[in-house]
Amino acid sequence: MLFNRKNKVKKNQKADLTFSEEQGKMDNRPANEGVEQVINKPQDRRTAMKGLTAMLLSGAGLLNSSCSLTAGEDEQDLAQLKWEEYFKGNYRLMTPEEKKETVRRLERMYELNNGGKINISDKGPLKDVLYGYAFNISKCRGYMDCINACIKENNQDRNSQMQYIRIHEFENGRMDFAMADDNFYHEVPAAGHFYIGTQCFHCDNPPCVDVCPVKATWKEKDGIVVIDYDWCIGCRYCEAACPYDGRRFNWSDPHVPENELNKDQHYLGNRLRKKGVMEKCTFCIQRTRSGANPACVEACPTGARIFGNLLDPKSSIRWVLENKKVFRLKEDLGTEPKFWYFMD
Amino acid sequence: MDKISMIRNGWRFLMRSLGPGAVLFGILVLGSCSAPAHEDQGPLAKIEEHGKEAKVYPLTSEPFTFYIKKIPVRNAEDDTMFYIPDRLGQLSSFPCSRCHSEPLDHLKSTDPTVKKAHWDIALTHATEEVLNCKVCHSEKDMDYLRLNNNSTVDFNNSHRSCAQCHASEYKDWIGGAHGKQLGAWVPPRVSATCVDCHNPHSPALETRWPARLNTIKIKELDPK
Amino acid sequence: MISDGLKEATKGSTAYHIWMATLTLLMLFGTYAYYQQIVHGLSVTGMTDRVSWGLYISNFTFLVGVAAAAVMLVLPTYILKDIDFSQAVLIGEGLAVAALIMCLAFVTVDMGGPARLWHIIPGIGNLNWPASMLAWDVIVLNGYLFINITIPFYILYHHYLGKKPKKSVYLPGVLISVFWAVGIHLVTAFLYAGLPARPFWNNALLGPRFLASAFAAGPALIILVLAIIRKYTDYYIADKTINKIAMVVTVAAQINLIMLGSELFKEFYSVTHHSSSAIYMFFGIDGKNALVPWIWTSIALNLLATLALTYNRFRRNHTVLFISCAVLFLAIWIDKGMGLIIPGFIPGPWGEIVEYFPTWVEIGVTTGIWALGAFVFSLLVKVAVSIELGKMQYRNRQ
């Protein structure tokens, strides 16, 4: 109990810190002071929160969830965390400390909601690294093990069967995507057919990034195109702008069974999303930034998938680019994908 | 830099650097006289800009490959090294000479007291004209593989035996285009070796069913 | 003035009350449908990752055109001193305000996270201006709304006080709004035309065709509204005014048809992969043909109305004119809604044909927003007409 209290005091101080920063951004709107005062009054914080939330958000999402909590300390804690999370800024513009804080809040919120611990990373890009991907058309046999691994690794919504990767089955003789089947179910590889996988290509000129009205999606220094799930307003303009069908939208609350949850997460990667936001392949940012291969590469039984640092002359991906005949899809659009295809 | 990316970069530069107060039509006029910014020219330009020096990483692949006992392979082309998983440790009846010191006729006998090992091996690798057991296995010493010049090589370096026929695959493998890179993208590289995926006696991969079927996608594509 | 305005807005004939009550009911139904959408997410709509915009954005696009069309009346009235239009202008601007409110409502209901909409406010959020055309759209639409509220308010307020509004005050605003109106529609067209991912939209003619169809549909609606106002109020609107607006509608409809023709030529003379959307829309692909009846209906109605308007004799006959205007409005609504936004997504980037069917929630919300628009417009017109008729004036109070 005592420990809890202490924690809480600390948290309030932290809250003050974030609020004053937030305030700077908010141009000192007069209402803010009032908000802060009410928030920090310990007894009626909860009621105040409810009132304010209802007032500001016309009672939408936050109010709903704040009704279904267990009573007491945790509830207050959670309400406080939700409040801070709601008013936080764009992840890209956060200072390193702010990033640490939001990550800590999200971990704590998961703990309060679900009881377990998760680990959310805010690891930044490695120096002199530009990720690239190569896909061997001759090797892919349409097993779709990559898709399963991707879903598991990235905590994709099970209810809507969301998948970042699509494997297209082509009849020999033409590479016409309109004639390909991306949902086959028969013994593979089928005679006279070949297979091509698509996903987010992490374009160097990403059309999805330019169109976002709130800068919720951007290209990181290491070339990964990421989304701040908490900043996205869900307008789906990026989905319309992507020529590669790389983006997915959470049409309803995503569901991942607790025992299947991947608890090693990254803020920009596989942490749990909510309804009404965009998501997509992040080259498994939570894995690749610490050196591991993306889950799809790891799962591919044929070695058709090659991943690495384009800026490293000794990397496998560079060898492929320099020694194999490679091509990219829809190059005429000038998107400069960092995803190449090649054949044996 | 080609013309298209010049135009694109000019436009992006403009889009990003314009101050407030500019109107749509003003931009079009200004567009013709602004200097293009030298950014976003695509990954190939970035590779070129970055130069040729080898990269030093603060990370290694070790945490992701620690469970693999590694055998070094030297890339003669540029004198670099990579690793493959140990093979000898995975062979259940090694050393082979324990049994293969006896005549084959005895091993092939139907006597139930004689231990049966790989009696079911069927060689579906090239034609009989090209391959039989003795082409790859050394008659002189069954614990080793045989190369074309009658020298031997151990099972950990079986790729050298394969390379004699599969030269182009071997080249791709050394380079990193063939054979799965295990665990991590950071060096040191650990790649699957030939026999990790291909059964040397029957190297073609088998067909199987896909790992999943997306039932919702079916409904989307055909609501009826 | 506010209390006078409220008083004026709340009293009226039984028909007026029934009309407003019906609209309120529809809005309540829309609110209920939107509540369902908030609770369950956008999964209750017919939209999917394959067709990610639907009825909402279609209506938004169409209504931007209606809003922009107010300029067709503003321009001659204030600048060319063409007195004929002056009675229509206030109505036109009221229509623009109502249409813009509907636009903003449609965009908002389309959002996955409406609670996070504050992220677009510069200063506390990050508006991605000037890179994102949607950011441009946010700016121009709100700006246009502001202009179209302030100018009529200024004029009406002066009429209410019994004074003459000063030209030097409102004329600059009017000038800006003229360019602004063209701007909102071009920007909205660029929203789609700027996406090479969707070849159906990535088309230089999209902007001009938006303008042409808007300048047909918008004034067509205004004619219908004027006809209703003329019938149910004492507000005098000359035949000449209606005839002049009819001329505008006719010319715009003709230009729109020429552009439609050249689009059809481009799509169907040399059929490429980029024609797939048009093929799907006009003929269906693989037995999937949800849009086929819609687009042919639209084209037939469009042709019929334009032909009728083109003949002077028909156009001068007000019964024919009003029917033609209604038909044209409907045709363009289908064309800009069903016929533009949805086929842009079909086939998808990898050629898959996934059709889109709006659900009851979407239809409910859409109906609710149209009711909201009609409600706002009725209120504005009611008050404006009363002021213009001199029924509602400051001096009347004393």
Side-chain angles (χ1 to χ4, degrees):
Chain A
M1 188 63 198
L2 188 72
F3 181 69
N4 257 345
R5 267 282 154 226
K6 245 188 191 166
N7 247 352
K8 191 170 271 312
V9 172
K10 252 194 202 156
K11 200 153 275 148
N12 275 348
Q13 283 167 348
K14 227 186 286 157
D16 287 347
L17 235 166
T18 26
F19 257 94
S20 56
E21 270 159 11
E22 203 66 54
Q23 234 174 16
K25 274 193 208 150
M26 284 189 188
D27 223 9
N28 281 330
R29 291 184 311 164
N32 237 12
E33 251 170 57
V35 170
E36 204 184 347
Q37 279 170 5
V38 186
I39 297 294
N40 288 332
K41 233 195 260 172
Q43 290 95 344
D44 55 14
R45 188 198 287 137
R46 188 176 149 226
T47 28
M49 189 76 59
K50 273 192 174 175
L52 281 163
T53 315
M55 191 177 73
L56 281 169
L57 312 177
S58 14
L62 280 181
L63 182 64
N64 258 348
S65 33
S66 71
C67 293
S68 57
L69 302 170
T70 49
E73 292 275 315
D74 284 357
E75 190 180 343
Q76 285 186 15
D77 239 16
L78 199 57
Q80 170 78 15
L81 288 168
K82 273 189 175 165
W83 182 263
E84 287 169 26
E85 273 296 290
Y86 179 73
F87 280 109
K88 74 181 178 182
N90 188 333
Y91 184 78
R92 176 161 62 158
L93 304 172
M94 285 183 190
T95 62
E97 294 76 49
E98 284 173 318
K99 286 181 181 174
K100 287 250 161 3
E101 260 159 34
T102 179
V103 158
R104 231 176 286 138
R105 279 197 298 265
L106 290 166
E107 287 174 346
R108 177 88 182 118
M109 275 164 80
Y110 179 83
E111 201 181 337
L112 289 172
N113 276 326
N114 304 57
K117 279 213 190 294
I118 51 168
N119 168 36
I120 302 181
S121 156
D122 61 338
K123 203 169 161 51
L126 290 164
K127 211 175 145 279
D128 289 338
V129 171
L130 186 67
Y131 293 114
Y133 205 116
F135 186 100
N136 188 341
I137 297 177
S138 322
K139 291 264 170 296
C140 180
R141 295 166 71 83
Y143 294 152
M144 299 201 199
D145 286 337
C146 48
I147 298 183
N148 272 355
C150 175
I151 291 170
K152 239 180 137 188
E153 169 69 30
N154 290 300
N155 295 324
Q156 281 156 40
D157 177 27
R158 306 297 203 270
N159 289 346
S160 66
Q161 301 183 2
M162 187 191 284
Q163 303 173 354
Y164 296 161
I165 304 172
R166 299 198 195 284
I167 304 289
H168 308 257
E169 184 182 69
F170 293 78
E171 220 171 306
N172 282 351
R174 66 201 306 189
M175 210 186 86
D176 182 352
F177 272 91
M179 308 296 288
D181 179 6
D182 68 356
N183 208 32
F184 48 87
Y185 198 63
H186 48 69
E187 220 167 304
V188 286
H193 286 78
F194 66 101
Y195 299 83
I196 294 183
T198 57
Q199 58 202 69
C200 171
F201 292 160
H202 297 273
C203 303
D204 220 36
N205 279 331
C208 52
V209 165
D210 281 344
V211 300
C212 177
V214 293
K215 302 185 187 172
T217 181
W218 65 90
K219 194 177 69 186
E220 290 270 290
K221 276 225 167 66
D222 51 10
I224 302 181
V225 177
V226 294
I227 302 167
D228 181 352
Y229 309 121
D230 293 335
W231 196 251
C232 169
I233 56 172
C235 71
R236 308 189 295 292
Y237 196 11
C238 53
E239 198 169 26
C242 175
Y244 303 110
D245 191 21
R247 293 187 161 239
R248 305 283 178 270
F249 187 68
N250 285 288
W251 298 93
S252 50
D253 263 318
H255 168 70
V256 183
E258 189 63 27
N259 58 339
E260 289 177 28
L261 184 73
N262 179 3
K263 294 184 175 171
D264 281 321
Q265 304 176 357
H266 192 286
Y267 184 93
L268 297 170
N270 59 343
R271 74 185 169 100
L272 292 169
R273 277 78 64 183
K274 53 194 165 205
K275 112 185 137 203
V277 301
M278 253 10 251
E279 62 174 282
K280 63 178 205 52
C281 159
T282 60
F283 275 166
C284 284
I285 198 166
Q286 64 279 358
R287 297 168 63 99
T288 46
R289 280 198 176 163
S290 30
N293 273 327
C296 48
V297 175
E298 179 91 358
C300 179
T302 68
R305 294 171 173 272
I306 289 159
F307 180 81
N309 179 9
L310 292 169
L311 301 182
D312 183 355
K314 297 283 175 219
S315 66
S316 304
I317 180 88
R318 276 289 287 279
W319 193 88
V320 170
L321 291 190
E322 281 156 24
N323 292 277
K324 308 300 287 183
K325 274 74 180 171
V326 298
F327 67 93
R328 296 180 288 183
L329 293 177
K330 302 192 186 178
E331 274 213 73
D332 47 336
L333 299 182
T335 47
E336 296 280 358
K338 292 193 286 289
F339 197 105
W340 286 266
Y341 294 91
F342 70 103
M343 283 163 258
D344 275 346
Chain B
M1 197 163 54
D2 62 310
K3 273 195 190 127
I4 293 176
S5 56
M6 255 173 74
I7 294 168
R8 187 182 305 120
N9 290 334
W11 178 244
R12 283 165 152 258
F13 171 76
L14 210 87
M15 286 301 221
R16 280 164 192 179
S17 57
L18 261 186
V23 288
L24 189 62
F25 297 103
I27 292 169
L28 298 174
V29 179
L30 279 170
S32 52
C33 55
S34 77
H38 292 268
E39 53 156 349
D40 298 318
Q41 302 153 26
L44 296 182
K46 282 179 184 161
I47 288 173
E48 198 152 322
E49 244 168 58
H50 194 262
K52 290 198 161 59
E53 74 269 27
K55 176 87 180 80
V56 185
Y57 294 90
L59 306 161
T60 78
S61 64
E62 192 49 33
F64 310 102
T65 56
F66 67 89
Y67 58 92
I68 300 172
K69 193 180 166 204
K70 300 174 193 75
I71 307 296
V73 177
R74 200 177 70 87
N75 178 358
E77 216 175 281
D78 60 355
D79 201 34
T80 51
M81 294 276 260
F82 68 97
Y83 297 89
I84 56 173
D86 167 74
R87 179 72 176 172
L88 278 174
Q90 293 174 39
L91 299 175
S92 46
S93 314
F94 197 77
C96 311
S97 52
R98 220 162 31 193
C99 301
H100 283 285
S101 49
E102 291 176 43
L104 267 183
D105 284 342
H106 174 67
L107 292 172
K108 277 182 175 172
S109 84
T110 47
D111 179 356
T113 60
V114 177
K115 189 189 166 193
K116 294 277 174 281
H118 35 246
W119 54 274
D120 57 342
I121 286 180
L123 194 61
T124 46
H125 188 168
T127 59
E128 266 178 54
E129 267 178 14
V130 179
L131 278 186
N132 60 29
C133 310
K134 289 184 280 186
V135 173
C136 301
H137 290 284
S138 170
E139 259 186 307
K140 285 181 287 179
D141 188 345
M142 284 301 282
D143 293 335
Y144 286 86
L145 295 166
R146 176 191 164 274
L147 298 180
N148 280 345
N149 62 0
N150 271 331
S151 62
T152 56
V153 65
D154 69 29
F155 282 92
N156 271 341
N157 287 296
S158 57
H159 58 269
R160 287 175 55 199
S161 171
C162 309
Q164 299 176 109
C165 295
H166 302 284
S168 72
E169 281 83 357
Y170 181 70
K171 190 176 167 232
D172 283 354
W173 178 68
I174 291 283
H178 186 133
K180 178 172 169 173
Q181 186 165 338
L182 303 170
W185 60 270
V186 281
R189 170 184 150 202
V190 183
S191 277
T193 187
C194 317
V195 289
D196 287 331
C197 302
H198 301 282
N199 177 348
H201 302 117
S202 169
L205 299 179
E206 281 167 5
T207 59
R208 52 165 255 215
W209 285 73
R212 72 178 301 115
L213 172 68
N214 192 325
T215 49
I216 288 180
K217 218 148 62 168
I218 291 181
K219 253 183 255 161
E220 260 180 30
L221 286 163
D222 191 10
K224 287 153 231 159
Chain C
M1 181 182 183
I2 292 168
S3 66
D4 270 5
L6 276 177
K7 224 182 276 168
E8 187 56 44
T10 45
K11 72 180 185 204
S13 63
T14 325
Y16 175 73
H17 280 294
I18 291 173
W19 166 243
M20 295 305 258
T22 315
L23 292 179
T24 311
L25 268 180
L26 288 176
M27 281 193 283
L28 282 174
F29 176 60
T31 313
Y32 173 70
Y34 187 55
Y35 169 75
Q36 291 295 322
Q37 187 186 304
I38 286 285
V39 171
H40 301 291
L42 284 158
S43 57
V44 296
T45 68
M47 294 183 275
T48 59
D49 276 331
R50 313 280 180 133
V51 183
S52 50
W53 281 338
L55 209 52
Y56 298 152
I57 296 297
S58 300
N59 276 288
F60 156 76
T61 311
F62 174 74
L63 286 165
V64 171
V66 173
V71 78
M72 274 324 287
L73 306 168
V74 171
L75 186 69
T77 308
Y78 293 130
I79 296 168
L80 307 178
K81 294 182 189 147
D82 193 330
I83 197 71
D84 280 338
F85 279 12
S86 65
Q87 302 120 329
V89 155
L90 284 174
I91 309 296
E93 287 187 331
L95 187 63
V97 170
L100 281 167
I101 288 172
M102 289 160 78
C103 284
L104 296 175
F106 272 119
V107 171
T108 308
V109 297
D110 189 63
M111 294 289 152
R116 295 186 294 278
L117 264 179
W118 63 270
H119 293 175
I120 63 170
I121 302 169
I124 56 170
N126 318 111
L127 186 66
N128 189 12
W129 189 85
S132 170
M133 289 318 290
L134 201 52
W136 279 88
D137 223 19
V138 168
I139 294 171
V140 293
L141 286 181
N142 282 299
Y144 194 63
L145 182 61
F146 176 76
I147 293 174
N148 277 296
I149 286 176
T150 46
I151 296 176
F153 180 80
Y154 174 79
I155 294 170
L156 284 173
Y157 186 63
H158 276 76
H159 287 170
Y160 170 73
L161 294 176
K163 294 186 203 155
K164 223 177 153 21
K166 274 189 217 142
K167 259 199 164 168
S168 59
V169 176
Y170 68 76
L171 206 59
V174 170
L175 264 171
I176 294 171
S177 87
V178 169
F179 288 102
W180 207 285
V182 176
I184 63 165
H185 217 32
L186 275 183
V187 166
T188 307
F190 290 171
L191 197 82
Y192 308 106
L195 304 180
R198 312 280 168 182
F200 187 66
W201 297 337
N202 189 217
N203 164 358
L205 197 55
L206 201 72
R209 199 168 160 224
F210 262 47
L211 288 177
S213 62
F215 290 149
L221 184 61
I222 289 173
I223 290 180
L224 293 175
V225 170
L226 290 181
I228 292 168
I229 291 172
R230 204 156 74 143
K231 194 169 174 202
Y232 291 102
T233 71
D234 304 329
Y235 193 49
Y236 175 73
I237 293 153
D239 274 357
K240 215 173 143 197
T241 306
I242 289 189
N243 288 343
K244 274 211 169 168
I245 302 175
M247 198 65 210
V248 170
V249 174
T250 308
V251 172
Q254 287 164 343
I255 295 174
N256 183 36
L257 270 192
I258 294 170
M259 290 179 174
L260 173 68
S262 60
E263 273 191 348
L264 290 179
F265 173 80
K266 180 243 163 193
E267 301 285 15
F268 292 114
Y269 180 74
S270 51
V271 177
T272 69
H273 260 188
H274 289 180
S275 315
S276 306
S277 295
I279 294 173
Y280 165 74
M281 177 163 69
F282 283 98
F283 306 109
I285 295 179
D286 295 341
K288 291 175 183 167
N289 45 19
L291 289 181
V292 174
W294 289 95
I295 195 67
W296 286 110
T297 309
S298 160
I299 293 211
L301 294 180
N302 204 339
L303 277 174
L304 197 75
T306 312
L307 276 178
L309 288 171
T310 305
Y311 285 104
N312 285 344
R313 203 154 21 113
F314 285 148
R315 192 175 63 244
R316 298 228 173 96
N317 178 334
H318 277 188
T319 319
V320 178
L321 173 70
F322 297 153
I323 292 172
S324 304
C325 283
V327 165
L328 189 66
F329 185 77
L330 184 66
I332 291 173
W333 179 74
I334 297 173
D335 183 45
K336 282 282 147 297
M338 291 293 190
L340 179 81
I341 304 306
I342 293 153
F345 291 102
I346 308 171
W350 301 129
E352 63 287 311
I353 312 278
V354 173
E355 299 205 276
Y356 163 78
F357 301 97
T359 58
W360 75 265
V361 173
E362 265 170 301
I363 294 169
V365 171
T366 304
T367 316
I369 293 177
W370 275 93
L372 169 75
F375 192 89
V376 169
F377 183 62
S378 305
L379 285 184
L380 291 175
V381 168
K382 185 91 190 345
V383 175
V385 165
S386 295
I387 293 178
E388 289 297 286
L389 286 176
K391 271 194 203 160
M392 181 186 140
Q393 267 193 352
Y394 186 64
R395 59 161 191 266
N396 287 0
R397 295 177 85 180
Q398 290 154 339

